[in-house]
Amino acid sequence: MRIAMIGGGYVGLVTAACLSDFGHEVVCVDKDADRIAALRRAEAPIYEPGLSEIIASNLRAGRLSFTGDLAAAARGARAVFIAVGTPTREGEDSADLTQVFSVARALAPHLDDNAIVITKSTVPVGTGDRIEAIIAEAAPQLRFSVVANPEFLREGAAIRDFKLPDRIVIGVEDEAARKVMGEIYRPLYLNQGPILFTRRRTAELIKYSANAFLAMKVTFINEIAELCEKVGADVQEVARGIGLDNRIGTKFLNAGPGFGGSCFPKDMLALAASAREAQSPLRLIETVIDINEKRKIAMAHKIIRACGGSLAGMTLAILGLTFKPNTDDMRSAPSLTILPILQDAGARLVVYDPKGAEHARPLLPGVVFADDPYACVAGADALVIVTEWEAFRALDLARVKAALRRPIVVDLRNIYRPDEMTALGFVYEGVGKGG
Ligand code: NAD
């Protein structure tokens, strides 16, 4: 099937590459000319394990191509996915749908009759109706369908998540669109990936509800971590103790510096805003947003306290900047809140991140970027772990200790064991480790 993918970012690129790997003929469109030029040379503009290889092999096979020409991509496509950004609207909480609507408007005159337009972007409930109205106004004679097909992939594990999804959610309003969507995802269906067909508005709300639930789980364990510190309990054991209950599950119960990333923060704001607009406010989600903002700030003060209450004249080594490991994505990373507070408190910061440096550099002025973890800690007064990259778990801790001026370690991800760190002579502080 000929498919057009509008937007070649994390979601569009992974979806385009994987759909071409299934055997579909996919044209991926992006307005960023440099990005298209790099992709034509099989260079992935983002770091995502396994992505470059899939792009390269499908480019070679002629199933995947890249262009800046939206009109040409739309012509002859049976299905057109929209996978552009839906950031927070400037000065508000709601989602800015400018990119989605402008793509819909630009597409309309070039769509084939009976084309299916599929929203992959995360959009508030009712957006499908608005896209339908925009296309109908711009191309009154056209027969077409608008489908909601939200994406649940996780950055860092995106290829696996796309090819072995927990479920595929498809919101359709007509039988023809349902059939085409079934064909697109047939390879996954054969692999027993469950496909859930719903009405379009329901599918749109499933995406936000899933993210809200996960953000709530993270926030819950972060609050319990705070309580653990006060009452002498261990949050990792609490998490395991509750997570082994099948009704709760062990995932998303790692206490840390607060959630970040390109999705949770903006999606929580957008969901809360759309619920307020529908006169059905989500008090739980409003509270999650508030707690998470305060959590990031509290982590900076935790670091200051661990260093004796003042950072004046100190150098801190920071390991990890991205919002989670295995990505170069810095969007709404907790480090962007925590590090400036440490700088304001007088610290000089030396940082290292395996993949995030390029995106982090312009966002963190005044910070020194080291080339490896050992160069990062050399001569520092304390070490702070902000992101749990696998490489930091296996550091030569004796070498780290020898390189530090003072053996203070603040581990915001609990990647080390307090007893082992103390035995090595570190003054160690994790999160929620009161017991
Ligand atoms: P992104 O910013 O990485 O990519 C968006 C791409 O769209 C950019 O490359 C941009 O140049 C391109 N673009 C914008 N307007 C365009 C236009 N008119 N024509 C062609 N290209 C255009 O964003 P992303 O992280 O891929 O997210 C896309 C959507 O998917 C968002 O709604 C997001 O909430 C959702 N989502 C993201 C993730 C994730 O993990 N990143 C997961 C699930 C859902």
Side-chain angles (χ1 to χ4, degrees):
M1 187 187 304
R2 186 175 153 90
I3 295 172
M5 179 69 56
I6 318 300
Y10 282 85
V11 168
L13 203 47
V14 168
T15 309
C18 290
L19 289 177
S20 67
D21 218 34
F22 292 165
H24 298 304
E25 184 196 333
V26 184
V27 188
C28 182
V29 183
D30 204 287
K31 63 176 182 186
D32 179 338
D34 292 342
R35 182 166 282 234
I36 292 298
L39 284 164
R40 284 180 170 161
R41 295 190 300 269
E43 289 166 18
I46 53 172
Y47 173 72
E48 186 58 50
L51 180 60
S52 306
E53 293 79 354
I54 298 190
I55 291 175
S57 69
N58 287 287
L59 266 175
R60 269 197 309 276
R63 284 189 296 264
L64 180 62
S65 59
F66 297 98
T67 180
D69 187 345
L70 181 135
R75 278 194 290 273
R78 184 80 181 85
V80 182
F81 283 85
I82 301 178
V84 295
T86 49
T88 303
R89 193 184 297 275
E90 186 94 27
E92 288 179 38
D93 289 351
S94 57
D96 182 348
L97 299 172
T98 314
Q99 293 180 42
V100 172
F101 293 152
S102 80
V103 166
R105 219 166 281 121
L107 276 175
H110 309 288
L111 290 171
D112 275 19
D113 224 16
N114 298 317
I116 316 283
V117 175
I118 306 146
T119 316
K120 259 256 167 264
S121 301
T122 302
V123 292
V125 64
T127 302
D129 303 5
R130 295 173 70 187
I131 293 173
E132 201 167 75
I134 288 170
I135 298 176
E137 195 193 327
Q141 308 301 326
L142 187 76
R143 276 169 299 182
F144 66 98
S145 304
V146 175
V147 172
N149 173 215
E151 184 50 58
F152 299 94
L153 59 77
R154 294 163 300 166
E155 287 177 20
I159 305 290
R160 190 209 157 276
D161 284 351
F162 192 89
K163 292 196 163 182
L164 287 171
D166 289 341
R167 79 309 204 183
I168 299 155
V169 173
I170 300 176
V172 283
E173 296 293 319
D174 63 272
E175 194 45 41
R178 183 187 167 112
K179 258 184 86 183
V180 172
M181 294 308 291
E183 271 177 52
I184 292 174
Y185 284 109
R186 195 197 312 276
L188 290 181
Y189 189 66
L190 296 177
N191 286 345
Q192 314 232 305
I195 299 193
L196 183 65
F197 283 103
T198 66
R199 298 290 298 273
R200 199 165 57 205
R201 283 178 170 248
T202 304
E204 289 168 339
L205 194 53
I206 287 173
K207 172 63 193 176
Y208 277 111
S209 305
N211 275 2
F213 196 86
L214 294 173
M216 191 174 72
K217 225 175 156 189
V218 172
T219 304
F220 169 81
I221 204 65
N222 283 343
E223 270 210 312
I224 295 293
E226 238 172 88
L227 180 61
C228 284
E229 288 178 13
K230 296 268 161 56
V231 300
D234 181 328
V235 75
Q236 282 177 298
E237 289 173 8
V238 172
R240 190 164 160 72
I242 62 174
L244 288 173
D245 183 329
N246 282 332
R247 293 168 301 177
I248 296 174
T250 49
K251 302 209 172 118
F252 279 75
L253 283 181
N254 294 318
F259 61 75
S262 63
C263 292
F264 283 8
K266 78 167 175 69
D267 291 350
M268 292 312 91
L269 290 173
L271 174 62
S274 61
R276 282 196 301 271
E277 205 179 297
Q279 315 276 316
S280 183
L282 296 171
R283 282 176 297 154
L284 203 49
I285 299 311
E286 307 264 7
T287 306
V288 163
I289 294 166
D290 183 46
I291 295 173
N292 195 60
E293 280 313 302
K294 293 191 173 122
R295 174 82 183 162
K296 292 183 279 182
I297 296 164
M299 289 302 101
H301 292 289
K302 179 186 177 73
I303 295 163
I304 296 171
R305 271 198 313 279
C307 293
S310 166
L311 298 183
M314 282 193 190
T315 297
L316 300 190
I318 310 287
L319 288 183
L321 299 171
T322 51
F323 79 98
K324 67 173 178 181
N326 292 327
T327 180
D328 57 357
D329 201 337
M330 281 296 297
R331 290 179 280 184
S332 298
S335 61
L336 297 177
T337 302
I338 297 170
L339 271 53
I341 299 175
L342 303 177
Q343 285 174 306
D344 285 348
R348 173 179 173 266
L349 302 181
V350 184
V351 304
Y352 170 73
D353 188 282
K355 296 286 176 194
E358 191 188 328
H359 291 160
R361 226 178 272 275
L363 303 173
L364 291 169
V367 162
V368 178
F369 283 77
D371 290 335
D372 68 72
Y374 299 105
C376 180
V377 297
D381 293 282
L383 162 62
V384 182
I385 308 281
V386 178
T387 313
E388 70 279 30
W389 283 89
E390 212 53 44
F392 302 154
R393 294 178 194 271
L395 289 180
D396 177 344
L397 291 171
R399 191 173 158 195
V400 169
K401 178 153 182 288
L404 284 169
R405 201 148 53 165
R406 293 200 291 162
I408 300 172
V409 175
V410 184
D411 177 2
L412 300 182
R413 300 288 184 171
N414 288 336
I415 64 172
Y416 303 125
R417 290 182 51 126
D419 49 350
E420 288 176 7
M421 294 301 278
T422 309
L424 284 167
F426 286 103
V427 179
Y428 175 82
E429 179 145 351
V431 288
K433 306 296 264 184

